[in-house]
Amino acid sequence: MKAALVQLSVSDDPAANLPVTLAFIREAAAAGASFVLTPECTNLLSSDRGWQREVLCHEEDDPTLAALRAEAAALGITLLIGSLGLKTHDADGRFANRSFLIGPSGAIVARYDKIHMFDVDVSETEKYRESEGYRPGTRAVVADAGFAKIGMAICYDLRFPQLFRRSAKGGAQILTLPAAFNDTTGAAHWESLIRARAIENTCFVLAPAQCGAHAVHDATPGQRLRRTWGHSLAVAPWGEVLADGGEAPGVTLVEIDMARVAEARGRVPSLSHDRDFEGP
């Protein structure tokens, strides 16, 4: 099977981002990819809650979701929409950061809402409080894509190995990790953590990412724009990096041999070796 990681550098304008995303998906399909993955925040990247309330939609009304579902059907591909920012009907008004697995008919096979919120102080000048705008999900998801069982996760989830273990024990053979990974933490931890999740769970990890500096509609001269790390990765169950998307937007193709999952699990059957223990 040929998979494709779509690497984007989105702005905070969903209408402007959509045609770029569609063009890359078509490029991937034309190159023979039957499984195409886009990154977290496919429709926009923004920390301006007022602007998000203005431009985001509920799932049932979202034009990006509708267009990407139609494109998956037109191309006959399985599409992982890494995530979309969406309005919810929650009383507190917070958004959802939601990943979608779309089948070749355009139907939604599965949804996953990001569980772990990026509430961190990367430095004195770079602080994030994702939970102020987005409400966390509560449910791990393993979806049947036909060619494989897919364990779905998003970005900061990467730092919580128990989620991936639960997915692997639930049958996942491919773990998807769409991201908009901070450039500072990405340089330090991105590849190491993804390889660890692949090795410890003997799964493929496919991680499409955002990259570069992200334009905003009301940027002022000299304003520091949010930057993401890029380097979309495909990692094999034995831990080898099969593909790296580098630092620029584009499509990265990778061959996925599902037999490698069984091979790795036969060599080191650690998923069957978990034991309960006491303490500390």
Side-chain angles (χ1 to χ4, degrees):
M1 179 187 71
K2 186 177 289 186
L5 307 177
V6 172
Q7 186 156 288
L8 299 173
S9 186
V10 300
S11 70
D12 64 357
D13 182 353
N17 295 326
L18 178 56
V20 177
T21 303
L22 288 170
F24 281 139
I25 291 171
R26 290 165 187 157
E27 177 184 335
S34 58
F35 185 28
V36 180
L37 304 88
T38 70
E40 182 185 25
C41 303
T42 288
N43 58 342
L44 91 169
L45 191 61
S46 172
S47 299
D48 183 334
R49 305 309 179 202
W51 176 250
Q52 288 171 320
R53 281 190 291 273
E54 184 175 336
V55 299
L56 291 183
C57 302
H58 292 93
E59 178 182 319
E60 58 269 25
D61 302 317
D62 187 71
T64 299
L65 177 59
L68 295 183
R69 290 181 63 186
E71 195 64 28
L75 297 171
I77 60 170
T78 299
L79 175 65
L80 182 92
I81 304 172
S83 83
L84 301 175
L86 297 167
K87 288 180 176 176
T88 70
H89 298 287
D90 291 5
D92 64 9
R94 286 190 293 174
F95 310 111
N97 190 349
R98 182 169 298 158
S99 185
F100 294 89
L101 185 66
I102 309 299
S105 69
I108 297 173
V109 176
R111 300 168 175 83
Y112 167 75
D113 284 4
K114 185 177 182 181
I115 292 174
H116 300 97
M117 297 288 98
F118 192 55
D119 292 350
V120 303
D121 297 343
V122 176
S123 69
E124 285 297 318
T125 59
E126 195 172 4
K127 302 180 181 183
Y128 301 91
R129 295 294 182 270
E130 187 176 13
S131 65
E132 291 181 357
Y134 290 84
R135 55 121 170 93
T138 59
R139 182 173 176 269
V141 174
V142 175
D144 189 348
F147 55 84
K149 296 288 183 67
I150 309 293
M152 300 170 70
I154 299 173
C155 201
Y156 190 52
D157 285 333
L158 179 60
R159 295 183 181 272
F160 300 87
Q162 63 272 26
L163 172 61
F164 298 87
R165 194 63 165 189
R166 179 81 65 89
S167 294
K169 299 279 276 189
Q173 300 155 296
I174 296 174
L175 303 170
T176 55
L177 197 280
F181 223 74
N182 168 270
D183 60 342
T184 302
T185 58
H189 302 145
W190 172 247
E191 181 177 323
S192 297
L193 288 171
I194 289 176
R195 293 185 69 194
R197 298 296 88 85
I199 293 165
E200 66 200 8
N201 296 299
T202 48
C203 288
F204 284 98
V205 179
L206 301 181
Q210 296 280 354
C211 66
H214 298 272
V216 293
H217 69 286
D218 58 352
T220 57
Q223 177 181 346
R224 185 190 187 279
L225 300 176
R226 181 170 175 178
R227 298 190 62 87
T228 51
W229 176 240
H231 293 281
S232 299
L233 289 180
V235 177
W238 201 246
E240 312 98 305
V241 174
L242 302 176
D244 183 326
E247 298 179 355
V251 174
T252 299
L253 299 168
V254 61
E255 292 286 347
I256 303 295
D257 180 0
M258 294 306 302
R260 297 192 64 180
V261 176
E263 177 189 1
R265 291 177 179 180
R267 295 172 72 183
V268 182
S270 59
L271 288 175
S272 63
H273 291 165
D274 284 326
R275 294 181 59 84
D276 293 330
F277 48 86
E278 297 180 358

